[in-house]
């Protein structure tokens, strides 16, 4: 059972890892990291609520596509663009067809290769388009959609940090957080995020939770591939997971059948 100070350390680390909100630093060790990764979906939900408010406010003043673009841009700003950077680096490394240390070297390069550029463009365009569509729904549905997708992206990080998943390097964020999240925290987080997604499609209450679960299933498969190719997870892989899961949940919310 974590102490009050231990829980506070986890909260501070979660907030400062996933947002630009300046907080006083606390203890940073694997125990605090485990709590931070378990709390990541909650931080994502709060960030999503802010982004949803911006989306709805902007949509009342400008075309929906503009509102979607502004919201995506603000999301990148509030997270320092770290997740997008991780997406580009991870896709470049996997697209190089190299393995192990050679792939990790590609990931460390400061430039962005063609695979990374394409990944960024596709993800940003898809998120903007889906947000434009969500802006046309009722405000409770739009709020639920953005909150659920943003929280699910951070839940994907908790999935990547579950026990049994190794770090690719002996140092860095991946080494700090890999294997720190237990099954109970994952189960609670998954149920909570799935419930958040229920109002996102009012006529199909099952669609939001299904989108969350499907996105997480895809993330598990991609993470296994990354572990095979890289030897484990890195901070960049975690960032890529955030963007991929968020985008997939958004897509799942607007699919019609």
């Amino acid at each position: 059972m974590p102490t009050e100070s231990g829980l506070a350390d986890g909260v501070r680390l979660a907030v400062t890892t996933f947002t630009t909100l300046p907080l006083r630093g606390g203890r940073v060790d694997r125990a605090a990291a485990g709590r931070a990764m378990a709390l990541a979906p909650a931080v994502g939900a709060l960030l999503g609520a802010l982004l949803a408010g911006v989306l709805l406010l902007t949509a009342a003043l400008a075309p929906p596509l503009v509102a979607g673009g502004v919201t995506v841009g603000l999301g990148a700003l509030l997270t320092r663009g770290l997740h997008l950077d991780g997406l580009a680096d991870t896709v470049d490394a996997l697209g190089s067809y190299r393995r192990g240390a050679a792939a990790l070297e590609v990931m460390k390069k400061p430039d962005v290769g063609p695979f990374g550029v394409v990944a960024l463009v596709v993800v940003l365009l898809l998120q903007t388009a889906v947000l434009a569509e969500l802006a046309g729904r009722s405000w409770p549905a739009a709020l639920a959609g953005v909150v659920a997708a943003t929280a699910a992206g951070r839940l994907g990080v908790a999935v990547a940090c579950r026990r049994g998943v190794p770090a690719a390097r002996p140092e860095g964020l991946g080494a700090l957080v890999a294997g720190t999240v237990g099954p109970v925290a994952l189960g609670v987080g998954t149920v909570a995020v799935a419930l958040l997604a229920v109002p996102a499609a009012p006529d199909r209450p099952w669609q939001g939770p299904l989108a969350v679960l499907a996105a997480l299933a895809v993330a598990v498969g991609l993470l296994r591939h990354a572990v095979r190719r890289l030897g484990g997870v890195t901070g960049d892989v975690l960032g890529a997971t955030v963007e991929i899961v968020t985008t997939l949940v958004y897509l799942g919310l607007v699919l019609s059948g």
Side-chain angles (χ1 to χ4, degrees):
M1 191 77 177
T3 64
E4 185 176 342
S5 61
L7 181 59
D9 288 332
V11 170
R12 278 194 292 266
L13 186 56
V15 171
T16 55
T17 299
F18 294 102
T19 75
T20 57
L21 187 65
L23 290 181
R24 180 175 58 86
R27 187 182 62 186
V28 178
D29 55 20
R30 281 183 60 80
R35 295 182 193 113
M37 297 304 103
L39 290 168
V43 176
L46 294 174
L47 178 62
L50 174 61
L51 294 176
V54 171
L55 174 69
L56 293 170
L57 178 61
T58 309
L61 304 171
L65 198 59
V66 173
V70 168
T71 304
V72 168
L74 180 62
L77 180 66
L78 293 177
T79 57
R80 307 182 190 90
L82 290 179
H83 308 321
L84 292 169
D85 179 69
L87 173 67
D89 288 343
T90 300
V91 172
D92 276 339
L94 296 177
S96 71
Y97 297 103
R98 300 178 185 178
R99 290 180 175 272
L104 292 175
E105 280 301 313
V106 173
M107 186 177 285
K108 287 173 63 176
K109 291 182 178 179
D111 58 324
V112 179
F115 285 113
V117 170
V118 171
L120 288 174
V121 170
V122 170
V123 162
L124 292 173
L125 285 176
L126 286 175
Q127 291 186 8
T128 299
V130 172
L131 284 167
E133 199 282 336
L134 289 178
R137 298 185 178 182
S138 66
W139 74 261
L143 174 64
V146 179
V147 168
T150 310
R154 280 70 187 170
L155 178 60
V157 173
V159 170
C161 296
R162 70 190 185 277
R163 291 173 189 165
V165 178
R169 300 188 182 98
E171 73 286 332
L173 180 62
L176 178 66
V177 301
T180 59
V181 180
V184 174
L186 278 180
V188 171
T190 301
V191 171
V193 175
L195 289 175
L196 286 174
V198 170
D203 298 331
R204 300 177 176 184
W206 49 266
Q207 186 167 348
L210 181 60
V212 170
L213 295 177
L216 292 175
V218 172
V220 169
L222 292 175
L223 285 165
R224 286 177 179 168
H225 179 62
V227 170
R228 284 197 301 269
R229 291 284 303 281
L230 306 174
V233 296
T234 68
D236 283 331
V237 171
L238 301 182
T241 302
V242 170
E243 294 298 339
I244 290 170
V245 172
T246 299
T247 303
L248 289 175
V249 173
Y250 276 143
L251 287 174
L253 292 177
V254 298
L255 291 177
S256 59

